Amino acid sequence: MEAASISQKSLIGGSNMSDEIKKGLQGKLISPKAAVAAFEQGIQGRQYVSKNRDERAASYASRKLERQEFLKARVPFITYDFLPDFYLVQGLSVIGAVSGKSKSTTASNILAGFIQETDYAEALVISNEEKTDFVYDRVACILTGYSFMDLVKGKLSSEAEQAVRAQSLELTKRIEVVDGSNWNTAYLEDTISILEHAERAKVNLVIIDYLQTITSSRKEPLMESFMVSKKFGTFLMEYGKRAVVPVVVFAQLSDGDTRSFKERIENDKMFFNHAFTAIEIIPDFETLLTTFKVHKDRLGLSTGKEVVMGFKAGKYVLGQEGF
């Protein structure tokens, strides 16, 4: 019995045993076998704490790396001067407007800003609204200072048209446009396949124009369009974070009511909840002024703010009247 008591005291006094086990054993007589088991449990406890500490350190390092990638992924919304510290960031941004009210025009301005403000970065555009040539030509007109409508109507001089065409060709090196000629982007699965390819290719910006044109599912042909939108929204919520890329989705808003921005997104109101950023486009075609209202800015202080921009030859201009 004395030997057991001595072994107990020796083990209890050892530095390798956890405080919890020491407290549990003090004042008690135990067998050598039980003492050894308790000693081993203490070692295991220390190993667990050490492992847990290492995991926390690794998790912190991983989050720090993600943060650095996140900062590199910031893209201007048209221009870095739009609002202080306001960017299109990793994750989902929803840009809403009623039918025929400047969704494609805004998409081309975002692309032009992206080309001007970033070096060698690449973008993917899924366009169910316009043909590939129109997407390139809109952006090229903004960058060269010519009117896209004059180009379409054949009113540009030969020299101006050549400048636009040359710029469009240059844009193909940094912008990939998918317009449904090779993929049927009305199908959820086709659109997801394109986005997964873009993730592997490490694009720096994704623009989808627009949400409500993705209406069907190959796997579930009877699925209603609003359910397709819901599934797509869930996918995009995770995709933007996983791919470390800003995903800008243009959405059609219902017209003629006073409900909130969230309630006016056609097909899927939950899209608003998934988004880091939500902006409404409110153009005035008489004054040629466009108001951009920030309905959500999860990472900044811009929620509720409005920015009014002028419009010239297809380009939004800060601090100027429309002309």
Side-chain angles (χ1 to χ4, degrees), residues 19-316:
D19 292 339
E20 289 78 4
I21 294 175
K22 291 178 185 177
K23 291 177 183 177
L25 294 178
Q26 284 172 347
K28 298 180 182 178
L29 294 178
I30 62 173
S31 68
K33 183 177 180 180
V36 171
F39 177 71
E40 291 175 346
Q41 182 181 349
I43 292 176
Q44 292 171 354
R46 264 192 9 268
Q47 290 173 338
Y48 169 78
V49 170
S50 177
K51 180 181 179 182
N52 195 36
R53 185 184 301 117
D54 292 342
E55 288 177 348
R56 289 199 306 272
S59 176
Y60 170 77
S62 175
R63 291 197 303 271
K64 186 174 181 180
L65 181 61
E66 287 177 359
R67 178 62 179 166
Q68 291 171 343
E69 291 296 316
F70 173 85
L71 291 174
K72 288 194 296 184
R74 293 184 302 180
V75 169
F77 180 74
I78 302 174
T79 169
Y80 280 129
D81 297 325
F82 179 77
L83 280 171
D85 298 321
F86 185 88
Y87 311 96
L88 297 173
V89 295
Q90 170 192 351
L92 177 62
S93 294
V94 178
I95 315 296
V98 301
S99 180
K101 295 295 179 71
S102 302
K103 290 189 294 294
S104 295
T105 298
T106 302
S108 61
N109 273 265
I110 291 173
L111 285 166
F114 173 79
I115 293 296
Q116 288 178 315
E117 303 285 0
T118 63
D119 294 326
Y120 308 110
E122 297 183 5
L124 168 70
V125 181
I126 298 176
S127 177
N128 291 329
E129 183 79 341
E130 291 194 315
K131 298 185 300 181
T132 294
D133 291 350
F134 275 20
V135 175
Y136 286 127
D137 288 347
R138 277 186 184 273
V139 180
C141 283
I142 292 170
L143 295 174
T144 56
Y146 296 109
S147 167
F148 173 70
M149 293 309 299
D150 285 348
L151 174 68
V152 172
K153 295 176 181 178
K155 293 183 177 181
L156 292 184
S157 67
S158 176
E159 182 181 354
E161 185 171 342
Q162 287 179 11
V164 171
R165 300 303 183 199
Q167 181 66 71
S168 293
L169 185 61
E170 192 67 22
L171 289 173
T172 63
K173 299 176 182 178
R174 294 182 57 191
I175 300 174
E176 181 178 2
V177 181
V178 180
D179 67 359
S181 57
N182 296 319
W183 297 77
N184 190 339
T185 49
Y187 282 104
L188 172 66
E189 292 82 6
D190 286 32
T191 302
I192 287 176
S193 293
I194 295 166
L195 291 170
E196 288 174 341
H197 169 75
E199 180 182 359
R200 293 190 293 272
K202 301 294 184 183
V203 300
N204 307 95
L205 172 66
V206 173
I207 291 180
I208 300 171
D209 187 14
Y210 61 96
L211 171 65
Q212 287 82 4
T213 58
I214 303 167
T215 56
S216 305
S217 168
R218 291 188 186 278
K219 293 181 180 178
E220 301 178 64
L222 298 180
M223 184 184 295
E224 296 188 48
S225 61
F226 76 92
M227 283 303 301
V228 172
S229 291
K230 286 182 180 297
K231 281 202 167 189
F232 192 45
T234 302
F235 169 81
L236 287 177
M237 178 177 63
E238 296 301 325
Y239 175 85
K241 293 184 289 185
R242 183 181 76 237
V244 196
V245 61
V247 180
V248 180
V249 177
F250 284 84
Q252 190 157 294
L253 305 180
S254 59
D255 196 4
D257 63 49
T258 58
R259 291 179 300 167
S260 68
F261 180 89
K262 173 182 176 178
E263 293 293 323
R264 292 163 55 212
I265 298 176
E266 295 181 359
N267 285 6
D268 183 16
K269 299 173 180 60
M270 295 304 292
F271 236 82
F272 182 87
N273 295 348
H274 300 326
F276 280 77
T277 304
I279 301 173
E280 182 175 1
I281 311 166
I282 310 170
D284 185 327
F285 294 126
E286 291 186 5
T287 63
L288 296 183
L289 295 175
T290 300
T291 300
F292 296 91
K293 185 170 183 178
V294 181
H295 289 279
K296 185 178 184 180
D297 176 20
R298 186 179 292 175
L299 301 179
L301 302 174
S302 299
T303 300
K305 292 186 178 180
E306 296 184 358
V307 176
V308 179
M309 302 184 78
F311 189 76
K312 179 182 180 182
K315 181 179 181 179
Y316 293 125

